[in-house]
Amino acid sequence: MIVEMVTGATKEQVDHVVDKARALGFGIQLNQGTDKTVVAILGSHTGKTSTDIFAVLPGVESVSRIMKSYKLASLEFNPKPTKIKLSGIVIGGKRLAIMAGPCAVESESQLMETAKAVQKLGATVVRGGAFKPRTSPFAFQGLKEEGVKLLAKVKTDLGIPVISEVTDIRDIELLAKNVDILQVGTRNMQNFTLLKELSKLRKPILLKRGLAATVTEWLTAADYLLAEGNKNVILCERGIRTFEDSIRFSMDISSIAVIKRFSHLPIIVDPSHAAGHYAYVPSIAKAAIAAGADGLLIEVHPNPEEALVDGLQSLNLPNFEKLMNELRPIAEAVGRSI
Amino acid sequence: MIVEMVTGATKEQVDHVVDKARALGFGIQLNQGTDKTVVAILGSHTGKTSTDIFAVLPGVESVSRIMKSYKLASLEFNPKPTKIKLSGIVIGGKRLAIMAGPCAVESESQLMETAKAVQKLGATVVRGGAFKPRTSPFAFQGLKEEGVKLLAKVKTDLGIPVISEVTDIRDIELLAKNVDILQVGTRNMQNFTLLKELSKLRKPILLKRGLAATVTEWLTAADYLLAEGNKNVILCERGIRTFEDSIRFSMDISSIAVIKRFSHLPIIVDPSHAAGHYAYVPSIAKAAIAAGADGLLIEVHPNPEEALVDGLQSLNLPNFEKLMNELRPIAEAVGRSI
Amino acid sequence: MIVEMVTGATKEQVDHVVDKARALGFGIQLNQGTDKTVVAILGSHTGKTSTDIFAVLPGVESVSRIMKSYKLASLEFNPKPTKIKLSGIVIGGKRLAIMAGPCAVESESQLMETAKAVQKLGATVVRGGAFKPRTSPFAFQGLKEEGVKLLAKVKTDLGIPVISEVTDIRDIELLAKNVDILQVGTRNMQNFTLLKELSKLRKPILLKRGLAATVTEWLTAADYLLAEGNKNVILCERGIRTFEDSIRFSMDISSIAVIKRFSHLPIIVDPSHAAGHYAYVPSIAKAAIAAGADGLLIEVHPNPEEALVDGLQSLNLPNFEKLMNELRPIAEAVGRSI
Amino acid sequence: MIVEMVTGATKEQVDHVVDKARALGFGIQLNQGTDKTVVAILGSHTGKTSTDIFAVLPGVESVSRIMKSYKLASLEFNPKPTKIKLSGIVIGGKRLAIMAGPCAVESESQLMETAKAVQKLGATVVRGGAFKPRTSPFAFQGLKEEGVKLLAKVKTDLGIPVISEVTDIRDIELLAKNVDILQVGTRNMQNFTLLKELSKLRKPILLKRGLAATVTEWLTAADYLLAEGNKNVILCERGIRTFEDSIRFSMDISSIAVIKRFSHLPIIVDPSHAAGHYAYVPSIAKAAIAAGADGLLIEVHPNPEEALVDGLQSLNLPNFEKLMNELRPIAEAVGRSI
């Protein structure tokens, strides 16, 4: 940590900072500049210490952190990219993970029809929400347990892994028993109660980025999942909230390169929730693969007009087929496959 | 809802929209403009219907909503400002609610010392966190049950109501039994699982605004709390995430006027979390009262240098005393009292 | 325009809105809903009328616009994508426009060396700033007229078109005489004085998106350039300001699809200013091409360590060569070429 | 500046940084931490040097700045708050500066009627736009020279100073001759060409904050105005662009405290442009004064329904009178007067 004193800070104030740092077991180095005194606070555990501890002291102007606040998710901690193996597929490998399916599981026929179709078109995982966190309490909240059972049926009947969202610690057991990947939604990225319970599993967890979370906060939330030893964490970029109002969320395409520079975890992209409208999904999906993402999470519905949730952002089957055909040469162009 | 067709939409496309609306029980009115056809969809339940249902239809360019997505929290639903009575105080009345205390309960002596001091200086509620949701899993997570018990002791010994945060449905019972107001933190504003359980209580719930939630989303989250009949909902503005980096969160001072225009719920302001630094707290607190807020939630610590959590944003006792003295004439200037 | 009256608006208030609309020559259609009255205001020139004219009337709750505020830049106005021809190249055609070169022209040797190298590697336009708008008045402000002359030399000697930024109406003549494309920088996107003067030219103008401009505002600014008959407008997405702090600006990759849906103007992408760091440039550049951009504006410097401006975001020549090689198959995958 | 090397940086890489710093005349201090090497770069002119110069070197992970990028606007440079005297009033003194008047000068009668009324109600400066930068080229652009002449008439006839916006360097002379304060609008905050010319004047300049400018960028833009010796710079906060859509811009109320902590320049607040709707103006205006602002810039129109520009955000005369009456006790509560 770098502690910058105010201009004219007294010797006592500087000593106070130095004493505090030493009391906490840190090394220190003093830089007496021509204008200002700067105290560098050194030690491998500064990342776990709040900058406030020094910022609150008299005569301190600001404190900046050198060590990042996340550790387990960092490339420094684990210099080899993580590959997650499940049910015959690898996430983070050469072959892209294409997770496709309806936003919400609505019925056996709707789910099964979609699952078969996307599997045939090259999807490697089937997605489907059984528990739906909705902005309004008056909106459809999902089929719940019945939806989970239908996902389990897809897994058994079609031999394809399934992913579904967990929103409540009381549902973890049910989901862990029936689906291959548990998804933490954007509104729960910092639901630490939920993250701590999921950290005890050994199942893959897909952690969506919070809609206003920085990349650093996102990786720090991943640390919660990794803290109890679960190594199977997949990041999912899904767009951030900005002032732009022509689409629902602004896809932060750069986060892919940032994650690849600082973390070992695989990252996939959800173009559907960012776009909010099917017309924008293909362009964003193609960009994500070109940028280096390890896969996609896409909403597909056999009849978007009749979808109970998020029909507008769902691709119908012909459009999904068209997109898969367009993605293939791009995947190859960046050394991947579909 | 207003459905705008694309230029050149066919009669079949317009009819499709009209039929869909009628099938859902809505009235419709057709506006054939010189350039574009616009379909107005009418009925008192359009607020509960997703705009996607129409936006997904062929030939539709955009759909905008006239009815707001929240209902129970709206001034239209309840045209009289809500006043919440508890343990001898009223929130939303002429007298401002000043909730003060440490960010985290650290020990009996720390809590009791602070509680006595803030009570003497005019605070009407004592705040203190027992369960602390922290960005990093390596940070102090609160005294938990022991902290709740200490808050209950403050309530009994000093006869002042207490408020504390709930982060886990498993803690609701404990908190509901021991504290007067349950606080939903910014990261849980859309933790719908938690909101649904809290809606079953009849205790006051303070709902902090999500750090990137619009006012509309915030009021819609309040609808979750109100949906099961709990009428005791207090809104708390605590700053939003923006590009500005000189303070931690940008205090959205205008939300006070917006809330007063559209909702009957009382609103208080937390200047401490927005500021992130004690130097900015008084200016923001004074602005909030002048803008029309019904109270404040302020972090106060007898010794911020030793605080385990958020010391930098805590006022020490002399600074809290000074602020209370500065707030009094401002409160009077806007027809309130402290 | 759609005017929503407040619940309980009187007949006089509704009549006032209707009379105002008729006085302005608009048609109107009245929708008396069960809860609210809504007035639809119709006519082809509503896009030129401020919504405030109605929002200010008594009894009005809100006014929303159906016609977009831009017209000349819209796909409705000109349903065929615009192709801009200059000095043997076409912007908006099948072949991508790759504009590369140093952020600032520093010397003849620096510019000439870079220009030759990027031309050889496939760039179709050479970029170089002669007038540099800098955040701080103490920073290097460019070689000015001398820089323009060096760009003209590149154009003559190498037979490749050049682009340079205009920041002052007094420099328009000099630049128009010497360079092929005039660039309007992000901080001048709404410098309407400058836009109006540039609209009188017939030279191609590249209009960078303002760092906090919505797509709608950007296209409306393009209308300023198009208003006097200059049809040669190129849009350039360069990232927007958000809360994310791991890179300089968040690349709004989705704006490419949005622009393609609503405008006929070509759009290119500047990955360098968004990234702020050379390590992120390739990932963003590849994403842009996959998303459907018509080209790139990239900073390249033979020796970034010695660059006077923005060295950190500049690619050195080996990295530019590597990127061009990586871009080629992606361009082909989306039906374009380099 | 603090240069953080990557984990595992070689001795050569560290030496390279050190050599570069020494070549530029800086002192350096080396911190060899247990995990990382950190190089502190010292000297009073580091604020004028780009961090990129070091960030671009091999083995560097990040560079952070300790010295701020602005200098002349800082409280360190000038530790006494600046008071600006003009035509019998002082901006930055005990008495608040209340600048009121129409958004645009529309006619002699409109301007004169408003000016007389606001003067009588306690305004100390009359505002009025003669050159209007408008988002759309089809909107009313102001009365231009005729408008300036009308403002000069107000000044002469009523003996009250006037303020008007400058958007074009060609208008500076006209405005400087006729008005007391020249206003730089939000879209021109980083129009450095304009700032440089204005810096040569000795007239007061009101610098509005850019709609997405950080406080640091704003103060650095003020440095442009101060660089040629003009000391009469007034800052004007007018709201920033965020995701919130219930009002036009989010008033950044905290910037007042931040500016007061780091700068000597007076700061006033424009509640009208932030609000975008007259209903929100009073709440924001009162908050601004309570927060410590030195004055207000308010739009007032005798008949907002007929205003050519921004009628919706203008107060009519009764509402302005009411606000002035409400502001007086708040001003007194914070030790100021109106």
Side-chain angles (χ1 to χ4, degrees):
Chain A
M1 264 185 271
I2 302 297
V3 178
E4 174 200 7
M5 306 300 295
V6 298
T7 306
T10 64
K11 190 180 172 308
E12 285 68 32
Q13 291 173 331
V14 176
D15 288 351
H16 192 164
V17 170
V18 169
D19 293 349
K20 182 92 178 189
R22 290 208 170 115
L24 290 164
F26 295 120
I28 75 105
Q29 195 154 4
L30 217 58
N31 304 301
Q32 251 131 356
T34 45
D35 292 315
K36 293 200 167 180
T37 297
V38 172
V39 187
I41 294 179
L42 309 167
S44 60
H45 58 305
T46 55
K48 296 187 189 177
T49 305
S50 165
T51 54
D52 283 13
I53 286 176
F54 296 101
V56 74
L57 301 181
V60 171
E61 178 146 329
S62 73
V63 182
S64 23
R65 189 184 281 291
I66 302 272
M67 296 299 286
K68 298 190 170 62
S69 56
Y70 56 87
K71 185 175 169 66
L72 309 176
S74 75
L75 203 57
E76 293 177 345
F77 183 78
N78 186 1
K80 239 180 77 181
T82 288
K83 295 184 185 193
I84 294 170
K85 296 189 183 87
L86 66 134
S87 318
I89 68 161
V90 178
I91 295 171
K94 185 171 187 286
R95 188 171 175 210
L96 298 172
I98 306 293
M99 309 183 182
C103 184
V105 177
E106 297 170 16
S107 68
E108 179 165 349
S109 62
Q110 171 248 23
L111 180 64
M112 201 55 80
E113 179 189 350
T114 317
K116 279 182 193 165
V118 299
Q119 184 182 30
K120 198 179 142 199
L121 294 169
T124 47
V125 178
V126 168
R127 63 148 292 153
F131 300 95
K132 298 301 305 173
R134 304 300 301 281
T135 305
S136 162
F138 310 119
F140 172 63
Q141 312 269 328
L143 288 188
K144 299 179 180 142
E145 183 158 356
E146 190 195 331
V148 178
K149 292 293 159 62
L150 292 174
L151 287 163
K153 193 168 181 330
V154 162
K155 184 175 152 63
T156 314
D157 288 7
L158 308 186
I160 188 167
V162 294
I163 177 172
S164 198
E165 180 169 356
V166 58
T167 64
D168 189 327
I169 49 174
R170 293 170 298 194
D171 304 324
I172 292 179
E173 202 183 325
L174 173 72
L175 282 159
K177 228 174 67 186
N178 286 286
V179 308
D180 299 274
I181 309 175
L182 278 74
Q183 172 182 327
V184 177
T186 191
R187 284 167 184 78
N188 282 316
M189 190 200 87
Q190 292 190 321
N191 180 341
F192 301 121
T193 300
L194 185 64
L195 300 184
K196 280 182 210 168
E197 293 299 322
L198 291 172
S199 181
K200 297 174 189 162
L201 299 182
R202 288 301 171 266
K203 290 227 136 188
I205 312 289
L206 181 140
L207 181 66
K208 284 205 165 181
R209 181 178 182 181
L211 57 88
T214 62
V215 169
T216 298
E217 289 170 335
W218 187 17
L219 290 172
T220 308
D223 263 13
Y224 263 96
L225 290 174
L226 298 161
E228 303 269 343
N230 191 344
K231 292 183 190 304
N232 300 304
V233 176
I234 305 157
L235 301 170
C236 179
E237 167 67 53
R238 44 79 70 207
I240 56 174
R241 179 151 277 177
T242 72
F243 63 84
E244 175 58 41
D245 56 4
S246 60
I247 65 157
R248 199 192 285 164
F249 294 100
S250 297
M251 170 50 57
D252 183 11
I253 199 77
S254 340
S255 76
I256 301 167
V258 174
I259 290 289
K260 292 290 178 197
R261 187 175 175 211
F262 293 116
S263 176
H264 58 89
L265 297 173
I267 175 171
I268 72 165
V269 166
D270 173 352
S272 307
H273 280 86
H277 193 296
Y278 65 90
Y280 304 134
V281 168
S283 172
I284 299 173
K286 289 185 269 184
I289 297 309
D294 297 302
L296 296 168
L297 182 69
I298 300 189
E299 300 203 347
V300 178
H301 196 286
N303 187 1
E305 284 191 30
E306 302 300 328
L308 295 180
V309 183
D310 282 343
L312 186 57
Q313 72 198 34
S314 297
L315 296 184
N316 59 22
L317 292 170
N319 281 338
F320 179 64
E321 178 168 13
K322 183 165 178 288
L323 174 59
M324 290 295 278
N325 289 336
E326 291 173 355
L327 285 172
R328 252 174 224 107
I330 297 175
E332 275 164 40
V334 296
R336 309 294 282 261
S337 66
I338 284 183
Chain B
M1 264 185 271
I2 302 297
V3 177
E4 174 200 8
M5 306 301 294
V6 298
T7 306
T10 63
K11 189 178 172 310
E12 284 67 33
Q13 291 174 330
V14 176
D15 288 350
H16 191 166
V17 170
V18 169
D19 294 347
K20 182 92 178 190
R22 289 207 172 117
L24 290 163
F26 295 120
I28 75 106
Q29 195 154 6
L30 215 59
N31 305 299
Q32 252 131 356
T34 46
D35 291 317
K36 293 201 168 179
T37 297
V38 171
V39 187
I41 294 179
L42 309 167
S44 61
H45 59 305
T46 55
K48 296 186 187 175
T49 306
S50 166
T51 54
D52 283 13
I53 285 177
F54 297 100
V56 74
L57 301 182
V60 171
E61 176 145 330
S62 73
V63 183
S64 21
R65 189 185 280 292
I66 303 271
M67 297 299 288
K68 296 188 172 64
S69 57
Y70 55 87
K71 183 176 170 66
L72 309 175
S74 75
L75 202 57
E76 293 177 345
F77 182 78
N78 185 2
K80 237 181 78 180
T82 290
K83 295 184 185 193
I84 294 170
K85 296 190 182 88
L86 67 134
S87 318
I89 68 161
V90 178
I91 295 171
K94 185 171 187 287
R95 191 174 174 208
L96 298 172
I98 307 292
M99 309 183 181
C103 184
V105 178
E106 297 170 14
S107 68
E108 179 166 349
S109 62
Q110 172 249 21
L111 180 65
M112 202 54 82
E113 180 189 348
T114 316
K116 280 181 191 165
V118 299
Q119 184 181 32
K120 199 179 140 198
L121 294 168
T124 47
V125 178
V126 168
R127 63 149 291 153
F131 300 95
K132 299 301 305 171
R134 304 301 301 282
T135 307
S136 162
F138 310 120
F140 171 64
Q141 312 268 329
L143 288 188
K144 298 175 182 151
E145 183 160 355
E146 189 194 333
V148 178
K149 293 293 161 63
L150 292 174
L151 287 163
K153 194 169 181 328
V154 162
K155 181 175 153 63
T156 313
D157 289 6
L158 307 187
I160 189 168
V162 295
I163 177 173
S164 198
E165 179 168 356
V166 57
T167 63
D168 189 328
I169 48 173
R170 293 170 298 193
D171 304 324
I172 292 179
E173 199 183 327
L174 173 72
L175 283 159
K177 227 175 69 188
N178 287 285
V179 308
D180 298 274
I181 309 174
L182 278 76
Q183 172 183 325
V184 176
T186 193
R187 285 169 184 76
N188 282 316
M189 191 200 84
Q190 292 190 321
N191 180 340
F192 301 119
T193 301
L194 185 63
L195 300 183
K196 281 182 210 169
E197 293 298 324
L198 291 171
S199 181
K200 297 174 188 163
L201 298 183
R202 289 301 171 265
K203 291 227 139 191
I205 311 291
L206 183 140
L207 180 66
K208 285 204 165 182
R209 181 179 182 180
L211 57 87
T214 62
V215 168
T216 298
E217 290 170 333
W218 188 15
L219 290 173
T220 309
D223 263 12
Y224 264 97
L225 291 174
L226 298 162
E228 303 269 344
N230 190 344
K231 292 182 189 305
N232 301 302
V233 176
I234 306 156
L235 301 170
C236 179
E237 167 67 54
R238 45 76 73 204
I240 55 175
R241 180 152 276 176
T242 72
F243 63 84
E244 174 58 41
D245 57 4
S246 61
I247 65 158
R248 200 192 284 165
F249 293 99
S250 297
M251 170 51 57
D252 182 10
I253 201 77
S254 341
S255 76
I256 301 167
V258 175
I259 289 289
K260 292 291 176 194
R261 187 175 174 212
F262 292 115
S263 177
H264 58 89
L265 298 173
I267 175 170
I268 72 165
V269 167
D270 173 352
S272 307
H273 280 86
H277 192 294
Y278 63 90
Y280 303 134
V281 169
S283 172
I284 299 173
K286 289 186 270 185
I289 297 308
D294 297 302
L296 295 168
L297 183 69
I298 300 189
E299 299 205 345
V300 178
H301 197 286
N303 188 359
E305 284 192 29
E306 302 299 330
L308 295 180
V309 184
D310 281 344
L312 186 57
Q313 71 197 36
S314 298
L315 296 185
N316 60 21
L317 292 170
N319 281 339
F320 179 64
E321 179 168 13
K322 184 165 177 292
L323 174 58
M324 289 296 278
N325 289 335
E326 291 174 354
L327 285 173
R328 254 174 223 106
I330 296 175
E332 276 164 40
V334 294
R336 310 294 283 260
S337 66
I338 284 182
Chain C
M1 265 185 270
I2 302 297
V3 178
E4 173 201 8
M5 307 301 294
V6 297
T7 305
T10 64
K11 189 179 172 310
E12 285 68 33
Q13 291 173 332
V14 175
D15 287 349
H16 192 166
V17 170
V18 168
D19 292 348
K20 183 92 180 190
R22 290 210 170 113
L24 290 163
F26 295 120
I28 74 105
Q29 196 155 1
L30 215 58
N31 305 300
Q32 254 133 351
T34 45
D35 291 316
K36 293 200 167 179
T37 296
V38 171
V39 187
I41 294 178
L42 309 167
S44 62
H45 57 307
T46 55
K48 296 187 187 177
T49 305
S50 167
T51 54
D52 283 12
I53 285 176
F54 297 100
V56 76
L57 301 182
V60 171
E61 177 146 329
S62 73
V63 182
S64 25
R65 189 184 281 291
I66 303 271
M67 297 298 287
K68 298 191 171 62
S69 57
Y70 56 88
K71 184 177 169 66
L72 309 175
S74 75
L75 201 58
E76 293 177 345
F77 183 78
N78 186 1
K80 238 182 76 179
T82 288
K83 295 182 184 197
I84 295 169
K85 296 190 181 87
L86 66 134
S87 316
I89 67 161
V90 178
I91 294 170
K94 185 171 185 289
R95 190 174 174 207
L96 298 172
I98 306 292
M99 311 184 181
C103 184
V105 178
E106 297 170 16
S107 70
E108 180 166 347
S109 62
Q110 172 248 18
L111 181 64
M112 202 54 82
E113 180 188 347
T114 316
K116 280 182 192 164
V118 299
Q119 184 181 30
K120 200 179 140 199
L121 294 169
T124 48
V125 178
V126 167
R127 61 150 292 153
F131 300 95
K132 298 301 305 171
R134 305 301 301 281
T135 306
S136 163
F138 310 120
F140 173 63
Q141 312 269 327
L143 287 188
K144 296 174 184 150
E145 184 160 355
E146 190 194 333
V148 179
K149 293 293 161 62
L150 292 175
L151 287 163
K153 195 170 182 325
V154 162
K155 182 174 151 65
T156 314
D157 289 7
L158 308 187
I160 187 168
V162 294
I163 176 173
S164 198
E165 179 168 355
V166 58
T167 64
D168 190 329
I169 49 174
R170 294 169 298 195
D171 304 324
I172 292 178
E173 202 184 326
L174 174 72
L175 283 159
K177 229 175 66 188
N178 287 285
V179 307
D180 299 273
I181 309 174
L182 279 75
Q183 171 182 326
V184 177
T186 192
R187 283 167 186 77
N188 283 317
M189 190 200 86
Q190 292 191 319
N191 181 340
F192 302 119
T193 301
L194 184 64
L195 299 184
K196 281 181 210 169
E197 293 298 324
L198 292 172
S199 180
K200 298 174 187 161
L201 299 183
R202 289 299 172 267
K203 291 228 138 190
I205 312 290
L206 181 140
L207 180 67
K208 284 204 166 182
R209 180 179 184 180
L211 59 85
T214 61
V215 168
T216 298
E217 289 171 335
W218 188 17
L219 290 173
T220 308
D223 262 14
Y224 264 96
L225 291 173
L226 297 162
E228 303 269 343
N230 190 344
K231 293 183 190 301
N232 302 302
V233 176
I234 305 156
L235 301 170
C236 179
E237 167 67 55
R238 45 77 71 206
I240 56 175
R241 180 152 278 175
T242 72
F243 63 84
E244 175 57 43
D245 56 4
S246 61
I247 66 157
R248 201 194 281 165
F249 294 99
S250 298
M251 170 52 58
D252 182 12
I253 201 76
S254 341
S255 76
I256 301 167
V258 175
I259 290 289
K260 292 290 176 196
R261 185 174 176 213
F262 292 115
S263 176
H264 57 89
L265 297 172
I267 175 169
I268 71 164
V269 167
D270 173 352
S272 307
H273 280 86
H277 192 296
Y278 63 90
Y280 304 133
V281 169
S283 171
I284 299 173
K286 289 184 269 184
I289 297 311
D294 297 302
L296 296 169
L297 183 68
I298 300 190
E299 301 206 343
V300 178
H301 197 286
N303 187 359
E305 283 192 30
E306 302 300 328
L308 294 180
V309 183
D310 281 343
L312 185 57
Q313 72 197 35
S314 298
L315 296 184
N316 60 22
L317 293 170
N319 281 338
F320 179 64
E321 180 168 11
K322 184 166 177 292
L323 174 60
M324 289 296 277
N325 289 336
E326 291 174 353
L327 286 172
R328 251 173 226 109
I330 296 175
E332 277 164 41
V334 294
R336 311 293 283 260
S337 66
I338 285 184
Chain D
M1 263 184 273
I2 303 297
V3 177
E4 173 201 7
M5 307 300 294
V6 297
T7 306
T10 63
K11 192 180 170 307
E12 285 66 33
Q13 291 174 329
V14 176
D15 288 351
H16 192 165
V17 170
V18 168
D19 292 349
K20 182 93 178 190
R22 288 208 172 113
L24 290 162
F26 295 120
I28 74 105
Q29 196 155 2
L30 217 59
N31 304 300
Q32 252 131 356
T34 44
D35 292 314
K36 293 199 168 180
T37 296
V38 172
V39 187
I41 294 179
L42 309 167
S44 61
H45 59 306
T46 54
K48 297 187 189 176
T49 305
S50 165
T51 53
D52 282 12
I53 287 177
F54 297 101
V56 74
L57 301 181
V60 171
E61 176 144 329
S62 74
V63 182
S64 23
R65 188 184 282 290
I66 303 272
M67 296 299 287
K68 298 190 169 62
S69 57
Y70 57 87
K71 182 176 171 66
L72 309 175
S74 75
L75 202 59
E76 292 177 347
F77 183 78
N78 185 2
K80 239 182 75 181
T82 289
K83 294 182 185 195
I84 295 170
K85 296 190 180 87
L86 65 133
S87 315
I89 68 159
V90 179
I91 294 170
K94 184 172 186 289
R95 191 174 173 209
L96 297 172
I98 307 292
M99 310 183 180
C103 184
V105 178
E106 297 169 17
S107 70
E108 179 166 349
S109 62
Q110 172 247 21
L111 181 64
M112 201 55 81
E113 180 189 346
T114 317
K116 280 181 191 165
V118 299
Q119 185 181 32
K120 200 180 139 198
L121 294 170
T124 48
V125 177
V126 167
R127 62 150 291 154
F131 300 96
K132 300 300 306 171
R134 303 302 301 282
T135 306
S136 163
F138 310 120
F140 172 63
Q141 312 269 325
L143 288 187
K144 297 177 183 149
E145 184 158 356
E146 190 194 333
V148 177
K149 291 295 161 62
L150 292 174
L151 286 163
K153 195 169 179 328
V154 162
K155 182 174 152 67
T156 314
D157 289 7
L158 307 186
I160 188 167
V162 295
I163 177 171
S164 199
E165 180 168 356
V166 58
T167 63
D168 189 328
I169 50 174
R170 294 169 298 194
D171 305 324
I172 292 178
E173 202 182 325
L174 173 72
L175 282 159
K177 227 175 68 187
N178 287 286
V179 306
D180 299 273
I181 310 174
L182 278 75
Q183 172 182 327
V184 177
T186 193
R187 284 169 184 74
N188 282 317
M189 190 200 87
Q190 292 190 319
N191 180 339
F192 302 119
T193 301
L194 184 64
L195 300 183
K196 281 181 208 168
E197 292 299 323
L198 292 171
S199 180
K200 297 174 187 162
L201 298 182
R202 289 301 172 265
K203 290 228 138 188
I205 311 289
L206 181 139
L207 180 67
K208 283 206 168 181
R209 180 178 182 180
L211 59 87
T214 63
V215 168
T216 297
E217 289 170 336
W218 188 17
L219 291 172
T220 308
D223 263 13
Y224 264 96
L225 290 173
L226 297 162
E228 302 269 344
N230 191 344
K231 292 184 190 303
N232 300 303
V233 176
I234 305 157
L235 301 170
C236 179
E237 166 67 52
R238 44 78 71 207
I240 56 175
R241 179 151 278 176
T242 71
F243 62 84
E244 175 56 41
D245 56 3
S246 60
I247 66 159
R248 200 192 285 164
F249 294 100
S250 298
M251 169 52 56
D252 183 12
I253 200 76
S254 342
S255 76
I256 301 167
V258 175
I259 290 290
K260 292 290 176 196
R261 186 174 176 212
F262 292 115
S263 177
H264 57 90
L265 297 172
I267 175 170
I268 72 165
V269 166
D270 173 351
S272 308
H273 280 86
H277 193 294
Y278 64 90
Y280 304 133
V281 169
S283 172
I284 299 174
K286 289 185 270 185
I289 298 309
D294 296 302
L296 296 168
L297 183 68
I298 300 190
E299 301 205 343
V300 179
H301 196 286
N303 187 0
E305 284 193 29
E306 302 300 329
L308 295 179
V309 184
D310 281 344
L312 185 57
Q313 72 198 35
S314 298
L315 295 184
N316 60 21
L317 293 170
N319 281 339
F320 179 64
E321 179 169 11
K322 183 165 178 288
L323 174 59
M324 289 297 276
N325 289 335
E326 291 173 353
L327 285 172
R328 253 174 224 108
I330 297 175
E332 276 164 40
V334 295
R336 310 294 282 262
S337 66
I338 285 182

